[in-house]
Amino acid sequence: MGGLPGMLLTLAETGSQNLVVCGGHNLTHAMAAMRHFILRSDMGVGVKELRDGDAAAAFSDENIRVTPVHIYPTGYTVSAHEQGADESDAAAIRRMLLERAFGVHKAPEPTDRKKREPPQPQQKKGYYGQECKEAAIEQVLQKFEQQDEDRTKKRSLSPGHSPKRSSDVFLPLATPTPCALCYIVEGPEVPGKFDSQAARDLGLKPGPQFAQLVRGQTITTADGQTIRPEQCVGPARPSSLVIIIDCPSPAYIDSLTTAHQFVPFLEGTKTAGPQKDQLMMIVHSLGPGVAQDARYKKWAARFPAHVRHMVSAPEYVPDNNPFQRHLRIHAAMHAISPHTYILPQATDKAELPLHTFLDSKNLVAPKSMMMYDIEPEPKLDESMVTQLLTAEQMLAKVDDVTPPSPHPNDGDDLVVCPIGTGSSVPSTYRNVSSNIVSVKGFGGIVLDCGESTVSQLKRFLGFPRRNHANTRIQQSYTEFLKTLKLLYVSHMHADHHLGAIQLLHEWNQATQMMDPKPRLSVLAPARFWAWLEDFSGVQDLGLDRLDFISCSDIRLIDPTAKIPIKENQKYRTAVTKLKSDLGLVDILTCGVIHCPWAYGLSLTHYTGWKLVYSGDTRPCANLVTLGRAGDKPPTVLLHEATLPDYLHVDAVAKRHSTVSEAVAMALGMGAENLLLTHFSQRCLDLPRWTTANIEAVKVARYGYVASASTSVGSSVDDVEDSATELDVDDDDIDAGAGVDFGHVNDLETYGQDVAEQTDAPNAALNAVLGDLKIASAFDMSAYAPRDIKKYRYNTHRLKQVLHDEMKLFIAEESADTVEPSQLKKGKQKAKAKKGKDSA
């Protein structure tokens, strides 16, 4: 599900307006449910549900016509509410909520050829309009939480009711449907070929008259002769056709193979007509077991012999990794520390040869970036397809590989695994926020779950078999799901939770046949549960087996004592169960400075470790208090470091932390280890911090947080977050997914800059840091405290890896090819040239 809202958010940032989203049953419901975290009222998104039995259930414009074919699993009875257009009161409420989230869709005028103006940035309201005074953050949070509770009680079901916010209205209940959609796709009619010689024979000359005839216009010559287009233009012909099959499992085969819409395309049927000659391609998107089912193979063989079959089935398509740049950098890091940087699972071999599907010469397995041209001549275009290396093949290209130690897990009671370490949007090198923790002997934890987290986890842990390159968590993805105990969402920004829907859906599927059926704790803002309740009408998430705990109900608000904000018996029972499930002696949250309902988290285990996770935040006294609460300082602080120090103004504008601010927060709470994450997608380099910037960080109640002598609850007059001292625009600084190399103007100057950096110890900085150990997180990696301790010894090699990757990136974007082995030669040539110039 993360793909659709993620795409809509991206399109909104580009200024796209008046879009139409087409899909099956409950699409309007799904999009209306997004109002909990998407508000793009200037976008104008319309929804067209292609419902079964609706004569108008098709999409067409001047370029394409798409006709849906509905299929169902065997034994399913289509209910009345799934048939025909939905004109109920419930549908009216859904459309109203959709318009409040995305605006009113307006079809563009056909004659309006003006360039579309991008929507104006929306003004932030509520929390974003408040001055960011550290001392007032708790009052602000409580105000918004109370408003949210009041709205929940007052939400209306009436379409005539006009509350101030779209979340004031309950989304009517919906029922998930197992319907799958297949499509018949047809292009526009292809005009006939213009016969220029025939036009000349009629006395016409090349120019405007030729163009008028091509456009289908009748012309009159100077001598009064009328010439019609058909005298010079051949007959038009229908466009070629493509069929797209989506068959999720063998249970759908009977419904698919008996669908009357496909009969005209089959050989040997009485109703077969000219359409079968137009059909050029069938895309078979098949779930496990479908392609090898005799019923399906027999049906597929009935299509005409000239039809090309693109077979996208797990048995026939290798599980290649298309993200080659990320794999290249990851393999180089794995060579430095194999137990920290885990090689993602992939293979270049299919389970079965393609000819076992059909006896045909027109079979093809899809590849990343493959295209199929329908007109003017049907053909397969592989000009953009590149060779995809496996992790092992990529690792073989690295010269200096560190052999793995034989016992990587000895003594590691706490291993934090960042799965996505980027901010805002996925990029070439970093996916958005997600982290997992495997608590030895108890189960798993997911800390935030951004878009594509499930895909990342499958490569990290292995699916369907275990990833043997992962020596830190020796479970497959499915095994991890079956032992998952906690999903935590820090706040409602999309890059922190869009992957949760898919995770919960697959958790439900993986565990629903277990005896007894396990339960899963979900700790999140109350708004997240409202989103899950709404979306459960589209997809079964197993809500009846989820134990929800609101972050506000276990929040630490007293600076000197652990006193949660509420005493709620329901949540106290759920928290007690969660502690038992994971062996925790304490679990607390705190409000942080980022957006409404944003929280930090602290987990303390009976074996002695303590993990604190910041979520997204500015430097925050509440988080320092949370880290200091209890008898033990944090074993690991997982803290966001979105921006480098020189972008401090941007950090204040978007309420994120710089690198040095994250270091100061670790010092303020006395953390033993700091793991930095959530980096801006504009930056690809090791984070850097300075003594001056660390010592300059101050928060309410503590003052300059890097001072270890500051006691809990000490008073600091008028200490405010720096956001109140700066006048900055609230621009979306992380909207672009590209890599910004800043001052890097060319390969040579950047190489000189890196060469001039020194790893010599800085006495003043070491004095400030004390015993604090710091590491920078990368996607699909694993860090025990001892890995964080070793990180400093690998920084020189990691820096060189990033340097080489930057040069390769620039060269490739310039349509050049440079291998790592060539980089050294390039440096030597540059040095020789520099020596000659000096001489």
Side-chain angles (χ1 to χ4, degrees), residues 171-182:
L171 190 58
L173 295 177
T175 303
T177 173
C179 177
L181 289 183
C182 305

Side-chain angles (χ1 to χ4, degrees), residues 9 66 80 198 234 255 288-289 307 313 332 361 482 517 556 567 570 575 594 611 632 691 699 715 728 733 806 818 822:
L9 286 168
V66 181
S255 176
V307 174
K361 296 179 179 179
K482 290 180 177 180
K517 292 182 179 180
L556 179 66
E567 287 294 326
K570 175 183 176 182
V575 171
H594 183 58
L611 172 64
K632 181 175 175 56
T691 304
V699 297
S715 175
V728 296
I733 58 173
M806 288 178 184
V818 180
Q822 295 175 294

